[in-house]
């Protein structure tokens, strides 16, 4: 039996272009990962199966469409050899449909665990190809380290050198449909440039990171707020708090993040938010990784 963290993914910025003839949107995004997330465990089993527990277990199904099982079966096919039968346990600690890459992160964790525990002779490139086949965030979430994603999410390059960032994640408890967010974006026509923005070689402080990110954006933020106004309420609250250096939606919502100057500020902000809005999911974390 072995376990690993499937860290929450946070889009520090996310630029989305107009869809191509196939309906896919090009993008440019700086992704980083938190020291908090779901936990995936692998163990010998009689069949490839999945047990889900944790605070958000009721919102997920363990049927064949779950990304953990899809990842396992895809890797078995890629191995092209008999593979010992394993089962998985998923402790679902992240909200579902929350813009934190939970499903892709869980799949990535399952792939890493299988390759390591079963000693499969599959190199990084082949493992990454399997992860990419499972979704746009798949390859980035496999390694769970800061990365710049371009194209349709498949072109990955190292992120600028960033300090570890103290942050607070906040979700109002509303699942946000990614397809609906993209439909709103398409209807608005408010597409951004997906050319790589000027990148500093290194960012030394949280204040520098927030200042640089403030001139960038998340093009899915406005449609996410339109789909789920509660996300807008979270953003408005975060941006009014003194500890917040920058507040933004992650991915297609509905989780927002606030960057803070230090762990003391992040702790104070998280505690106050928990008292102000006890129905919100609030987690203090550190962004940067890799934590997996």
């Amino acid at each position: 039996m072995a376990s690993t963290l499937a860290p929450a993914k946070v889009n520090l910025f996310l630029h989305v272009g107009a869809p191509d003839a196939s309906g896919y949107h090009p993008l440019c995004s700086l992704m980083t990962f938190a020291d908090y997330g779901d936990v995936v465990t692998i163990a010998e089993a009689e069949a490839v199966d999945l047990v889900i527990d944790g605070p958000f277990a009721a919102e997920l199904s363990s049927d064949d469409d779950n990304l953990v099982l899809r990842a396992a079966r895809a890797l078995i096919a890629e191995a092209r050899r008999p593979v010992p039968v394993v089962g998985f346990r998923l402790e679902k600690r992240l909200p579902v449909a929350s813009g934190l890459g939970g499903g892709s992160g869980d799949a990535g964790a399952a792939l890493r665990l299988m390759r390591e525990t079963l000693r499969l002779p599959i190199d990084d490139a082949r493992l990454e190809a399997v992860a990419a086949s499972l979704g746009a965030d798949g390859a980035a979430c496999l390694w769970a380290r800061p990365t710049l994603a371009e194209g349709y999410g498949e072109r990955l390059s190292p992120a600028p050198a960033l300090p570890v960032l103290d942050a607070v994640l906040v979700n109002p408890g509303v699942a946000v449909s990614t397809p609906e967010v993209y439909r709103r974006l398409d209807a608005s026509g408010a597409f951004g440039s997906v050319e790589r923005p000027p990148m500093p070689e290194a960012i030394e402080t949280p204040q520098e990171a927030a200042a640089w990110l403030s001139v960038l954006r998340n093009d899915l933020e406005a449609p996410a707020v339109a789909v789920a106004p509660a996300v807008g309420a979270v953003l408005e609250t975060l941006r009014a708090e003194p500890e917040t250096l920058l507040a933004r939606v992650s991915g297609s919502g509905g989780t927002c993040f606030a960057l803070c100057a230090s762990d003391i500020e992040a702790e104070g902000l998280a505690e106050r938010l928990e008292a102000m809005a006890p129905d919100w999911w609030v987690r203090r974390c550190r962004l940067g990784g890799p934590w997996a």
Side-chain angles (χ1 to χ4, degrees), residues 148-216:
L148 184 73
E150 297 175 276
Y152 299 98
E154 83 286 0
R155 295 204 325 259
L156 305 181
S157 55
L162 293 166
V164 173
L165 299 169
D166 290 286
V168 179
L169 306 178
V170 185
N171 185 291
V174 177
V176 178
S177 165
T178 297
E180 179 60 26
V181 170
Y182 273 99
R183 280 193 287 270
R184 295 282 185 123
L185 177 67
D186 291 346
S188 73
F191 306 112
S193 168
V194 293
E195 292 296 319
R196 182 184 298 198
M199 295 275 181
E201 289 186 6
I203 297 174
E204 296 184 356
T205 68
Q207 290 85 353
E208 289 178 2
W212 173 59
L213 291 168
S214 69
V215 301
L216 305 175

Side-chain angles (χ1 to χ4, degrees), residues 38-130:
D38 298 336
V39 177
V40 179
T41 301
I42 189 173
E44 294 181 3
E46 295 182 357
V48 178
D49 60 6
L50 173 66
V51 174
I52 306 174
D53 58 18
F56 295 99
E59 300 175 37
L60 277 186
S61 170
S62 58
D63 62 18
D64 286 349
D65 197 46
N66 187 282
L67 276 170
V68 169
L69 292 178
R70 287 174 56 194
R73 295 192 169 103
L75 190 59
I76 290 170
E78 179 65 24
R80 307 184 190 112
R81 55 176 271 189
V83 174
V85 178
V86 292
F88 296 91
R89 172 178 170 263
L90 170 61
E91 183 184 355
K92 192 62 185 171
R93 304 196 298 177
L94 297 174
V96 175
S98 62
L100 298 176
S104 294
D106 298 340
L111 292 174
R112 295 193 309 271
L113 280 173
M114 285 186 70
R115 183 174 72 165
E116 179 181 352
T117 59
L118 302 180
R119 299 179 181 177
L120 299 178
I122 295 176
D123 63 20
D124 286 355
R126 289 172 63 195
L127 195 69
E128 187 172 302
V130 172

Side-chain angles (χ1 to χ4, degrees), residues 253-279:
T255 303
C256 303
F257 65 92
L259 300 184
C260 301
S262 73
D263 60 341
I264 295 174
E265 281 82 0
E267 182 176 11
L269 175 59
E271 289 178 352
R272 190 162 63 257
L273 291 170
E274 289 171 341
M276 290 168 51
D279 291 338

